[in-house]
Amino acid sequence: MTSAQAREGAVALVTGASRGIGLAVARALAESGHRLVMTARAPDGLEAAVAELRADGADAVGCTGGVADSAQAQACVALAMREFGRLDVLVNNAATNAPYGALMDVDLTRWRAAFTVNVEAALHLTQLAWRDWMGEHGGAVVNICTEGASHVGPNVGAYGTSKAALLHLTAQLAGELAPLVRVNSVSPGLIRTEMARFVWDGAEEQLAASLPLGRIGEPEDVARAVAWLVSDAAEWVTGADVLVDGGTRVRAAAPDKASSYAVHERLRATTGEA
């Protein structure tokens, strides 16, 4: 996917696009010239997000429903083809952090549901995009993973394991779909989203102080990385994972930083999931 193609009306499908990272990604892609299909579960939130981008001049439509619903995924890809006649970019952002807690206590039905949302849906949507457009015309896929996919943390075993699977899926698809489709991922650290509110709310100063770059992330930090990955500036990049974490993984070497990880301290102290 090149910037020239975007100016010619390339189409992007962004999941979980009514708020947070998904909405920021949709906004960034609209600013680079993409037309948009935006998905989310909550009709009111999605309608408001689509209206916001349209007010700013974006050509955007909404497709309400959860990505775990196979029929809904098909409907969203069909909407892109019906409304715009193409589908050049897929951003698999929708996710769940449930079930939250120790794995020895996890309900396996909820465990499977997490993998359906966080892994299987990304594969299914990529299959659909490939069959309807990308397999013949090319394109770009970006999966939103997490900085925590490479290590363990308290109470987030289901989330981390599913995102580690998504990270591997990204690399596997990058090899299988080359050279027509580039497949990459972005792995955020702690971002100021509703999904992560239970971690950062009331502890921003402490959390920021534990990071080399001195602040928690904003959805726009992730969106800029996604926009780069689908642009011609990254035309020779596939199978990569772009880390957007404020220096989380290198914090041990940073001067005057606490030896313990403040995010993990918060995870041990909370019971939330979104």
Side-chain angles (χ1 to χ4, degrees):
M1 173 52 47
T2 68
S3 296
Q5 286 174 311
R7 288 193 293 271
E8 293 168 3
V11 176
L13 170 57
V14 182
T15 70
S18 64
R19 63 181 189 177
I21 291 172
L23 179 55
V25 167
R27 187 180 295 112
L29 294 181
E31 290 172 354
S32 68
H34 291 80
R35 296 176 291 172
L36 297 168
V37 177
M38 302 164 62
T39 80
R41 290 177 298 172
D44 292 346
L46 181 60
E47 182 179 349
V50 170
E52 175 188 328
L53 292 194
R54 283 178 174 171
D56 290 335
D59 192 353
V61 295
C63 184
T64 304
V67 294
D69 183 338
S70 177
Q72 183 61 30
Q74 293 176 34
C76 291
V77 172
L79 175 62
M81 297 305 298
R82 183 172 67 252
E83 188 77 16
F84 301 119
R86 60 193 295 171
L87 179 53
D88 307 274
V89 171
L90 170 63
V91 181
N92 290 304
N93 165 70
T96 178
N97 63 1
Y100 186 81
L103 291 186
M104 290 303 95
D105 300 324
V106 74
D107 178 272
L108 291 180
T109 298
R110 300 186 74 203
W111 166 272
R112 295 184 194 103
F115 274 78
T116 299
V117 173
N118 293 351
V119 187
E120 183 180 312
L123 172 59
H124 187 213
L125 280 164
T126 303
Q127 290 175 329
L128 294 169
W130 172 267
R131 293 165 187 167
D132 280 8
W133 180 262
M134 293 183 183
E136 182 175 353
H137 303 281
V141 176
V142 178
N143 297 320
I144 305 302
C145 293
T146 178
E147 177 276 329
S150 67
H151 56 80
V152 300
N155 295 322
V156 290
Y159 180 70
T161 304
S162 65
K163 288 294 190 174
L166 181 60
L167 195 62
H168 186 90
L169 177 67
T170 300
Q172 184 71 31
L173 289 174
E176 291 190 12
L177 302 188
L180 276 174
V181 177
R182 297 186 300 105
V183 186
N184 295 289
S185 59
V186 175
S187 285
L190 179 63
I191 306 295
R192 192 194 310 275
T193 63
E194 286 302 312
M195 184 172 171
R197 178 177 288 277
F198 75 99
V199 180
W200 57 261
D201 194 20
E204 287 190 59
E205 185 175 338
Q206 173 194 5
L207 293 166
S210 73
L211 295 173
L213 295 189
R215 66 172 175 86
I216 67 173
E218 300 293 344
E220 291 74 19
D221 293 315
V222 182
R224 284 188 288 270
V226 174
W228 176 74
L229 281 171
V230 304
S231 75
D232 58 352
E235 65 180 358
W236 209 52
V237 176
T238 196
D241 180 50
V242 177
L243 192 63
V244 182
D245 73 343
T248 298
R249 291 190 190 174
V250 299
R251 66 187 183 279
D256 303 321
K257 299 299 177 184
S259 58
S260 60
Y261 185 24
V263 170
H264 283 180
E265 293 174 5
R266 289 286 290 177
L267 289 172
R268 290 188 182 95
T270 59
T271 59
E273 59 188 44

